[in-house]
Amino acid sequence: LTTAIYLGEIAPAWQREILKPLIEMLAGIPSIVLGFLGWVVLAPLIQNAGAATGLTAFTGALILAYMSLPTIISISEDALYAVPKEYRDGALAIGATQWQTIWRVVVPAARSGIVIAIMLGIGRAIGETMAVLMVTGNAANIPAFGPGMFFAPVRTMTATIAAEMGEVAQGSLHYSSLFAIGILLFVITFAVNSLAGRLVGVQSKRRSGQL
């Protein structure tokens, strides 16, 4: 959000024209490439920092965060850019500073777009498969609860389906379990989308009431 605010409200036009395409280009990097970079660059750094192995849940979380950020930044910046200029001029005319105008006027006006951007980023993280399959250790176990649980190898639900569906016996309990995991992922995605729609609807009603 800070990056989106900088691009949309603070950065000069020439800088925005350079940074915006670069951020959108980052969103287009294939996940397999990011997984490979995480495997050869990020994982050794985490292992050298004291973890037993660099292929951990924390490594996967960092890769997913990196994959989600370009989407969130780009769509949030578009939402901020879509706020009418009259809102900014009106706030500045009554004595608000640039930061007060951004925080009290522009961001609330673009809140529905920002919420959608965050939900889209979360949706991409939930559905990612190859990158987390490469950097989380691909270990079918649930780490013991504690401070080190994020630095243990794991396997995500999407990675489990990708790794096991090709060799499972059709009609077996294992086969049904993989389909159950897929249904659970669908339910989670549906819940995220429903929450986004509800938040956007609430913000629209509040804005209509204020107007």
Side-chain angles (χ1 to χ4, degrees):
L1 181 57
T2 303
T3 305
I5 290 174
Y6 176 78
L7 287 177
E9 302 296 323
I10 300 174
W14 66 268
Q15 196 174 86
R16 181 179 182 272
E17 293 300 323
I18 295 175
L19 294 178
K20 183 70 181 295
L22 288 177
I23 293 174
E24 292 177 349
M25 184 178 66
L26 291 177
I29 298 177
S31 60
I32 189 71
V33 175
L34 294 176
F36 178 76
L37 291 176
W39 183 44
V40 300
V41 177
L42 186 59
L45 292 177
I46 293 177
Q47 186 173 13
N48 292 335
T53 176
L55 303 178
T56 64
F58 182 71
T59 311
L62 292 179
I63 292 296
L64 290 178
Y66 177 81
M67 295 177 64
S68 301
L69 280 177
T71 301
I72 298 174
I73 293 171
S74 182
I75 299 177
S76 296
E77 195 273 335
D78 289 338
L80 294 170
Y81 192 75
V83 176
K85 187 175 181 296
E86 290 77 8
Y87 286 24
R88 300 172 177 83
D89 294 340
L92 294 172
I94 61 175
T97 63
Q98 184 184 16
W99 176 247
Q100 290 172 333
T101 301
I102 294 172
W103 190 246
R104 299 292 183 88
V105 177
V106 179
V107 171
R111 189 172 298 170
S112 60
I114 294 172
V115 170
I116 292 174
I118 294 173
M119 293 303 174
L120 286 174
I122 293 174
R124 183 177 184 188
I126 291 174
E128 181 52 44
T129 303
M130 286 308 301
V132 292
L133 182 62
M134 296 177 66
V135 301
T136 57
N138 196 24
N141 70 297
I142 300 177
F145 183 80
M149 63 181 299
F150 295 108
F151 296 95
V154 296
R155 179 193 286 175
T156 63
M157 290 188 288
T158 54
T160 299
I161 296 174
E164 300 181 7
M165 183 59 77
E167 59 185 20
V168 66
Q170 187 172 1
S172 64
L173 179 61
H174 189 183
Y175 185 82
S176 300
S177 299
L178 294 179
F179 266 90
I181 294 174
I183 293 173
L184 181 58
L185 282 171
F186 173 79
V187 171
I188 294 173
T189 304
F190 181 79
V192 170
N193 291 334
S194 299
L195 178 61
R198 182 177 293 272
L199 291 176
V200 171
V202 170
Q203 295 301 326
S204 299
K205 290 180 180 178
R206 288 181 178 177
R207 190 181 304 173
S208 300
Q210 291 174 353
L211 294 177

